Amino acid sequence: MIQHNGGGIVLQVDIKSSKPIYKQIMDQIKEGVVKGVFQPGDKLPSVRELSTMLTINPNTVSKAYQELEREGAIETRRGRGTFIVENYKPQADPDRLGQLNDLLKKVVVEAYYLGLSKKELKQMLADLYAKLGGARL
Amino acid sequence: MIQHNGGGIVLQVDIKSSKPIYKQIMDQIKEGVVKGVFQPGDKLPSVRELSTMLTINPNTVSKAYQELEREGAIETRRGRGTFIVENYKPQADPDRLGQLNDLLKKVVVEAYYLGLSKKELKQMLADLYAKLGGARL
Amino acid sequence: MIQHNGGGIVLQVDIKSSKPIYKQIMDQIKEGVVKGVFQPGDKLPSVRELSTMLTINPNTVSKAYQELEREGAIETRRGRGTFIVENYKPQADPDRLGQLNDLLKKVVVEAYYLGLSKKELKQMLADLYAKLGGARL
Amino acid sequence: MIQHNGGGIVLQVDIKSSKPIYKQIMDQIKEGVVKGVFQPGDKLPSVRELSTMLTINPNTVSKAYQELEREGAIETRRGRGTFIVENYKPQADPDRLGQLNDLLKKVVVEAYYLGLSKKELKQMLADLYAKLGGARL
DNA sequence: GTGGTCTAGACCACA
DNA sequence: GTGGTCTAGACCACA
């Protein structure tokens, strides 16, 4: 039986942000999976539903879903809807690993410019792990 | 006395990258400062010099310098050129701190999707600190 | 006497695939005929049976059967069921021949992009002929 | 120096086809590369130019270009335009290899239904190789 | 000038 | 009902 996330969807979008809306959606869904708010097999709101909920254009939602599918995080079943992938197997893609390293490097550099010590940044990381969900990670 | 980084500049850009060129420049200069490749007071190449060196549009270099100045990382002395700021004092800007947290959160989420454990990510962070320059950080 | 493929049907569909389910069914039945898994005159499962077996919508099976009938691969005998055509005579439809050529052209182009040499592609073709059933082809 | 394909672009599109327009564009550009009509480093028409030439919507061209970039066939340089990739290195992606095999299997099955013998299909393949460009393949 | 993002809305294939 | 494709057109970041 298909689990339905029901009315408790927590997605929200900031129209004014410089981050593209479709990326905001992507990041929130992926974060939701890490947090456990979305479980494997969960049905996501349909393109129309979500676009109505967020008062944005359906195409924008569609783009977010398509990108997420390409990343292997969600999957669409024709005529039925879009779902969190059931058995996600992380593959150590060297490209994405390099991008992650670059991103983390940027974090370190920014931390320096904000006056954060190594210790403080490590603490920030630990806090995030605690907040996102200690069990899964 | 003014130190000139001279011909030994190590900046390089990838015009094929999806990351804007001006941001590539910004990130490399800031990383160079953290690494110690650029020292406080060092003179940066002029807009014209750098744009010629990198065969890119002068406006692009200009934009990078303007943004860096806004962030307080470099300063322009009228008629004399652009320099790495002498006595950079990090201020704990709440906005930028929030952005840093978001960036790090994204790192954690991506790490999950790449199958990296908390331990592995912490190690990656430690490696970066070691590589960027243990002394300063 | 009517041969019944019975419970030994080997059809299966992937509801996550981007290929429409009705096309998956069509392709598998046609492949089954080429392989000899389905013999001329064999009775196919009823729409209702197959849709139950595959847990898909009956309309989807119906569409697959209709298309196959249009192509002349199967035939419906009123009140008796659906059968693999007895004496299939290929007609050299210019349209379908053109489509086949286009499909093969696409294969050649894709092979180039995957780094497959002409020789390797020819070998792939030979392997497929061997695997699908040397006798009939 | 950048080679410009000039006015001799040969792309064309069939609005009535069931094949999506963006895929028609993709296939034609990839075929053009194999044929040598497009050389590595060649500039493609801009999104606006091509959409005007083909009297289709810019978004449709954009989608084709983005997909091609994802496949590694072309690359966009910010603010400058879109180019055939300079040093394309085919990587033997197992997924895409499997898809190619499926496509070729479909060709074999269709050939059977059209009454083409193994010999005739091999000849069709040989003809395509001859036509697309013996040198490169 | 160039591509990227987004809106508003239509039509279609599929299940 | 569901996502996929496409149009027409706006605005923006980047070079």
Side-chain angles (χ1 to χ4, degrees):
Chain A
M1 183 189 168
I2 295 167
Q3 284 286 114
H4 204 305
N5 192 286
I9 290 285
V10 287
L11 298 173
Q12 54 188 347
V13 141
D14 176 9
I15 304 290
K16 296 163 202 156
S17 166
S18 65
K19 187 200 265 192
I21 297 175
Y22 81 94
K23 278 194 179 162
Q24 294 181 41
I25 295 173
M26 288 178 67
D27 286 347
Q28 284 182 53
I29 288 177
K30 288 202 279 186
E31 192 184 324
V33 169
V34 171
K35 275 181 176 164
V37 177
F38 294 114
Q39 298 287 340
D42 271 3
K43 187 180 185 308
L44 290 166
S46 79
V47 168
R48 282 167 181 74
E49 278 172 5
L50 189 51
S51 68
T52 304
M53 285 164 57
L54 302 176
T55 57
I56 58 176
N57 191 284
N59 288 335
T60 305
V61 176
S62 204
K63 179 163 189 176
Y65 280 8
Q66 280 172 12
E67 290 288 329
L68 285 170
E69 177 152 32
R70 203 166 334 234
E71 290 189 2
I74 69 178
E75 62 196 7
T76 75
R77 300 177 199 157
R78 317 206 41 131
R80 299 208 203 171
T82 307
F83 301 81
I84 304 293
V85 151
E86 212 63 75
N87 294 310
Y88 181 79
K89 310 174 222 172
Q91 65 265 19
D93 182 335
D95 277 3
R96 284 176 74 179
L97 214 59
Q99 285 165 20
L100 182 68
N101 195 60
D102 285 352
L103 209 58
L104 191 55
K105 191 203 286 178
K106 182 155 189 171
V107 166
V108 171
V109 171
E110 289 302 314
Y112 164 78
Y113 273 98
L114 285 172
L116 284 189
S117 70
K118 193 199 309 195
K119 194 177 169 187
E120 286 169 316
L121 189 60
K122 281 184 175 175
Q123 188 56 48
M124 189 183 257
L125 180 59
D127 290 348
L128 277 166
Y129 266 112
K131 201 169 145 201
L132 283 171
R136 182 169 305 89
L137 297 171
Chain B
M1 181 192 167
I2 296 171
Q3 282 287 112
H4 201 306
N5 193 287
I9 289 284
V10 287
L11 297 175
Q12 51 187 351
V13 295
D14 176 8
I15 62 169
K16 297 166 189 173
S17 167
S18 65
K19 185 198 265 191
I21 296 176
Y22 83 95
K23 279 192 180 164
Q24 292 182 43
I25 295 173
M26 287 177 68
D27 287 347
Q28 284 183 50
I29 289 177
K30 289 202 280 186
E31 189 185 327
V33 169
V34 172
K35 276 182 175 165
V37 176
F38 295 113
Q39 298 287 341
D42 272 3
K43 186 177 189 305
L44 290 166
S46 74
V47 168
R48 190 165 301 184
E49 279 169 1
L50 189 50
S51 67
T52 304
M53 284 165 58
L54 302 176
T55 59
I56 59 176
N57 195 309
N59 294 333
T60 307
V61 176
S62 212
K63 176 157 191 179
Y65 280 9
Q66 278 168 23
E67 290 290 325
L68 285 169
E69 187 153 19
R70 189 168 325 181
E71 289 188 2
I74 68 177
E75 60 188 359
T76 302
R77 300 178 197 152
R78 286 182 86 31
R80 291 205 251 152
T82 308
F83 301 82
I84 304 293
V85 151
E86 294 275 2
N87 292 310
Y88 180 78
K89 341 171 209 180
Q91 66 265 21
D93 180 338
D95 274 4
R96 285 178 72 181
L97 215 56
Q99 283 165 22
L100 182 67
N101 195 58
D102 284 351
L103 208 58
L104 191 54
K105 192 204 284 177
K106 182 155 191 173
V107 166
V108 171
V109 171
E110 288 302 314
Y112 164 78
Y113 273 99
L114 285 172
L116 285 188
S117 69
K118 193 200 309 196
K119 194 176 168 188
E120 286 168 317
L121 189 60
K122 281 184 174 172
Q123 187 55 49
M124 189 183 259
L125 180 60
D127 290 348
L128 277 166
Y129 266 112
K131 201 170 145 200
L132 283 171
R136 183 170 303 91
L137 297 170
Chain C
M1 184 193 167
I2 295 169
Q3 283 286 113
H4 202 306
N5 193 288
I9 289 285
V10 286
L11 296 174
Q12 51 187 349
V13 296
D14 177 9
I15 62 169
K16 297 166 189 172
S17 166
S18 65
K19 186 199 264 191
I21 295 175
Y22 83 94
K23 278 193 180 164
Q24 293 182 42
I25 295 173
M26 288 178 67
D27 287 348
Q28 283 183 52
I29 288 177
K30 290 203 279 185
E31 189 185 326
V33 169
V34 171
K35 275 182 175 164
V37 176
F38 295 113
Q39 300 287 342
D42 272 3
K43 188 178 188 305
L44 290 166
S46 74
V47 167
R48 191 166 300 184
E49 279 170 2
L50 189 51
S51 67
T52 304
M53 284 164 57
L54 301 176
T55 58
I56 58 176
N57 195 309
N59 294 333
T60 307
V61 177
S62 213
K63 176 156 189 178
Y65 280 9
Q66 277 168 24
E67 291 288 327
L68 285 170
E69 187 154 18
R70 190 170 322 179
E71 289 187 2
I74 67 177
E75 61 188 358
T76 303
R77 300 179 198 152
R78 286 182 87 33
R80 291 205 251 150
T82 307
F83 302 83
I84 305 292
V85 151
E86 293 275 2
N87 292 310
Y88 181 78
K89 334 170 215 185
Q91 65 265 22
D93 182 337
D95 274 5
R96 285 178 71 182
L97 214 56
Q99 284 167 19
L100 181 68
N101 195 58
D102 284 352
L103 207 58
L104 191 55
K105 192 203 284 177
K106 183 154 190 174
V107 166
V108 171
V109 171
E110 288 302 314
Y112 164 77
Y113 273 100
L114 284 172
L116 285 189
S117 69
K118 192 199 312 194
K119 194 176 168 188
E120 287 169 316
L121 189 60
K122 281 183 174 173
Q123 187 56 49
M124 190 182 258
L125 179 60
D127 289 349
L128 277 166
Y129 266 112
K131 202 169 147 200
L132 284 172
R136 181 168 306 91
L137 296 170
Chain D
M1 184 191 168
I2 295 168
Q3 285 287 111
H4 204 305
N5 192 286
I9 291 285
V10 287
L11 298 174
Q12 55 187 348
V13 142
D14 176 10
I15 305 290
K16 296 162 203 158
S17 166
S18 67
K19 186 199 263 190
I21 296 176
Y22 82 93
K23 277 192 182 164
Q24 293 182 43
I25 295 173
M26 289 177 68
D27 286 347
Q28 284 182 52
I29 288 177
K30 288 201 279 186
E31 192 185 323
V33 170
V34 171
K35 276 183 175 163
V37 176
F38 294 114
Q39 299 286 341
D42 271 2
K43 187 181 187 304
L44 290 167
S46 79
V47 169
R48 283 168 180 73
E49 277 171 5
L50 189 51
S51 69
T52 305
M53 285 165 57
L54 301 177
T55 57
I56 58 176
N57 192 285
N59 288 334
T60 306
V61 176
S62 205
K63 179 163 188 177
Y65 280 9
Q66 279 172 10
E67 290 288 328
L68 284 170
E69 177 152 30
R70 202 166 335 232
E71 290 188 1
I74 70 178
E75 62 195 9
T76 75
R77 299 179 199 155
R78 316 204 43 130
R80 300 206 202 173
T82 308
F83 301 82
I84 303 292
V85 151
E86 217 55 82
N87 294 311
Y88 181 78
K89 313 174 220 173
Q91 65 266 20
D93 182 335
D95 276 3
R96 284 176 75 179
L97 213 58
Q99 285 166 19
L100 182 68
N101 195 60
D102 285 352
L103 209 58
L104 192 54
K105 192 204 284 178
K106 183 155 191 175
V107 166
V108 171
V109 170
E110 288 302 314
Y112 164 77
Y113 273 97
L114 285 171
L116 284 188
S117 70
K118 192 202 305 197
K119 195 177 168 187
E120 286 169 318
L121 188 60
K122 281 185 174 172
Q123 187 56 48
M124 191 183 254
L125 179 60
D127 289 349
L128 277 166
Y129 267 112
K131 202 169 143 199
L132 283 172
R136 183 169 303 91
L137 297 170

